[in-house]
Amino acid sequence: MVESPSSLVERLLGQRVTLLLKDARQLAGTLLGVDEHMNLVLDDADETTAEISRHLGRVVVRGSNVVTVHAVQAAPKGP
Amino acid sequence: MVESPSSLVERLLGQRVTLLLKDARQLAGTLLGVDEHMNLVLDDADETTAEISRHLGRVVVRGSNVVTVHAVQAAPKGP
Amino acid sequence: MVESPSSLVERLLGQRVTLLLKDARQLAGTLLGVDEHMNLVLDDADETTAEISRHLGRVVVRGSNVVTVHAVQAAPKGP
Amino acid sequence: MVESPSSLVERLLGQRVTLLLKDARQLAGTLLGVDEHMNLVLDDADETTAEISRHLGRVVVRGSNVVTVHAVQAAPKGP
Amino acid sequence: MVESPSSLVERLLGQRVTLLLKDARQLAGTLLGVDEHMNLVLDDADETTAEISRHLGRVVVRGSNVVTVHAVQAAPKGP
Amino acid sequence: MVESPSSLVERLLGQRVTLLLKDARQLAGTLLGVDEHMNLVLDDADETTAEISRHLGRVVVRGSNVVTVHAVQAAPKGP
Amino acid sequence: MVESPSSLVERLLGQRVTLLLKDARQLAGTLLGVDEHMNLVLDDADETTAEISRHLGRVVVRGSNVVTVHAVQAAPKGP
């Protein structure tokens, strides 16, 4: 049950993912593309910082700014 | 529906884009050029920081400072 | 009794590990994969900062953000 | 109407340009030279920070510190 | 009496060493391995920051975070 | 009237120059040498920070820390 | 009277030198070795920061942390 970083990123194509960036900014969107530098394309992306939240649409993210990439998980719904 | 980072950047040529830079500065302008380091040329560019906003005209942006690139979206107009 | 960095990382595959990142964030999860840049895949990962703790699930971590990788140790149980 | 980053920088040779550096310092001067690392030579250069302004004369700027390069624009004169 | 950096690091294999990292964290442990990027393996390692001290066990340290490596010296014992 | 960065640096050999470093430190001295990484040798160098000023003598400066290099200009003397 | 950075560093082998590091730490010791990355070995080294001073003994310093290297100068003795 081994999975390489690049195979996981490719398997996430078409799914909603969350990126944590070095400046603590988070981006959530549908992963449309990736290259060998871990530059990423997100569609329908939203950006969230400690102060603001805004819609960016389709966005290119330079890989050198990325800390983590993970699939958005269905949030547990409260009662 | 996969789109690589470089193909999106090239498809944005001639369009108004917004760049977020590492120092939290934003630049908005018409994307005129790009190279393999993601160095970018913006025309008719405006720079916005937390403190100031100013017009720069045509500007070269070193790719190593870029966090995200996205198309400027038509802002929803208020009533 | 010599062990290279890459052989230790590979020997940790399938085990619970803790990553310390440059922004002081910690990630704990099951190590699923690694590449030559020390990009890592953790499964069932939890992220802890000074302020928050949250579950991320399966996550890709860019190697350039990693400071240390070590096996999670069984915490000594108090009386 | 595409213009690459390197062609714009070369077209600016001999003109007054403003550099924004990573430490928020600005340099204004006549662009005399550039190389493939975007190291730049400015003549008759002035440096401006939040605190000070001073004349440097002819100066070499290491490209790794550069954020943006743009032509100095004639400032609109007030009434 | 010349000693290259790599020969000193290799001569320290099997000895207790102290690493100073860029974030001012210190790690002390038995040096088990090293590679050409100065990635290091410490065994029985303890981590010390301004705030905390904790035991990590066997740990991989990415070389890009390392400032200095030196042998732990026998502390002079008080009366 | 074009001058490349490397030709200017070489033309400054033997002259008094001022270096601005990334940590805002300034070094003034006679430029004795330079290599392809813009590592520099200054002779009879003085270091100035916001807090202190001290004499260093002959010093090697790693190029990666350099922001700008310029010739020391004869200061205009006040009345 | 030209001296390259690498020739000066090699000429300092066996002499007491002072290193200034990026985190403002200073190390003083006898220069025992150097490699092409400007990784350095100091013997009988003392480390000084704004807060503390301590003896490290023989130490490897990663070149990427080095700002300047210069020979320790005989301090003028007071009366």
Side-chain angles (χ1 to χ4, degrees), chain A residues 5-50:
Chain A
S6 62
S7 86
L8 175 51
V9 172
E10 276 165 30
R11 205 162 50 77
L12 291 173
L13 286 170
Q15 293 187 43
R16 296 290 292 177
V17 298
T18 298
L19 311 183
L20 174 70
L21 303 188
K22 284 188 181 170
D23 61 2
R25 197 174 305 267
Q26 293 197 45
L27 295 176
T30 304
L31 185 62
L32 285 195
V34 60
D35 66 20
E36 72 275 19
H37 306 294
M38 219 184 274
N39 297 322
L40 300 163
V41 176
L42 296 187
D43 199 18
D44 191 24
D46 294 300
E47 176 193 57
T48 309
T49 68

Side-chain angles (χ1 to χ4, degrees), chain E residues 20 24 67, chain G residues 19-21 23-27 47-49 54:
Chain E
L20 174 71
V67 180
Chain G
L19 311 183
L20 173 71
L21 304 187
D23 61 1
R25 198 175 304 270
Q26 294 197 45
L27 295 175
E47 175 193 58
T48 310
T49 68
R54 60 176 182 156

Side-chain angles (χ1 to χ4, degrees), chain B:
Chain B
M1 202 185 71
V2 164
E3 171 148 52
S4 75
S6 62
S7 85
L8 175 51
V9 172
E10 277 165 29
R11 205 162 50 77
L12 291 173
L13 287 170
Q15 293 187 42
R16 296 290 292 176
V17 298
T18 299
L19 311 182
L20 174 70
L21 304 188
K22 284 188 180 170
D23 61 2
R25 197 175 305 267
Q26 294 197 45
L27 295 176
T30 303
L31 185 62
L32 285 194
V34 60
D35 66 20
E36 72 274 18
H37 306 294
M38 219 184 277
N39 297 322
L40 300 164
V41 177
L42 295 187
D43 199 19
D44 191 24
D46 294 301
E47 176 193 55
T48 310
T49 68
E51 291 88 30
I52 64 147
S53 181
R54 59 175 184 160
H55 189 70
L56 300 180
R58 192 168 290 194
V59 63
V60 179
V61 184
R62 281 194 94 233
S64 59
N65 301 288
V66 174
V67 180
T68 58
V69 183
H70 67 101
V72 173
Q73 297 179 306
K77 294 295 182 290

Side-chain angles (χ1 to χ4, degrees), chain E residues 3 22 63 66-69, chain G residues 25 32-33 56 58 60 62 65:
Chain E
E3 173 148 51
K22 284 188 181 171
V66 173
V67 180
T68 57
V69 183
Chain G
R25 198 175 304 270
L32 285 194
L56 300 180
R58 192 169 290 194
V60 179
R62 282 194 95 236
N65 301 287

Side-chain angles (χ1 to χ4, degrees), chain E residues 1-5 8-9 11-12 20 22 24 26 37-38 63-71 73, chain G residues 13 21 23 25 27 32-35 39-41 43 47 54-62 64-65:
Chain E
M1 200 186 74
V2 165
E3 173 148 51
S4 76
L8 174 51
V9 172
R11 205 160 51 77
L12 291 173
L20 174 71
K22 284 188 181 171
Q26 293 196 45
H37 306 294
M38 219 184 276
S64 59
N65 301 288
V66 173
V67 180
T68 57
V69 183
H70 66 100
Q73 297 180 305
Chain G
L13 286 169
L21 304 187
D23 61 1
R25 198 175 304 270
L27 295 175
L32 285 194
V34 60
D35 66 19
N39 296 321
L40 300 163
V41 176
D43 200 18
E47 175 193 58
R54 60 176 182 156
H55 189 70
L56 300 180
R58 192 169 290 194
V59 63
V60 179
V61 184
R62 282 194 95 236
S64 60
N65 301 287

Side-chain angles (χ1 to χ4, degrees), chain D residues 56-75:
Chain D
L56 300 180
R58 191 169 290 194
V59 62
V60 180
V61 184
R62 281 194 94 236
S64 59
N65 301 288
V66 174
V67 180
T68 57
V69 183
H70 67 101
V72 174
Q73 296 179 305

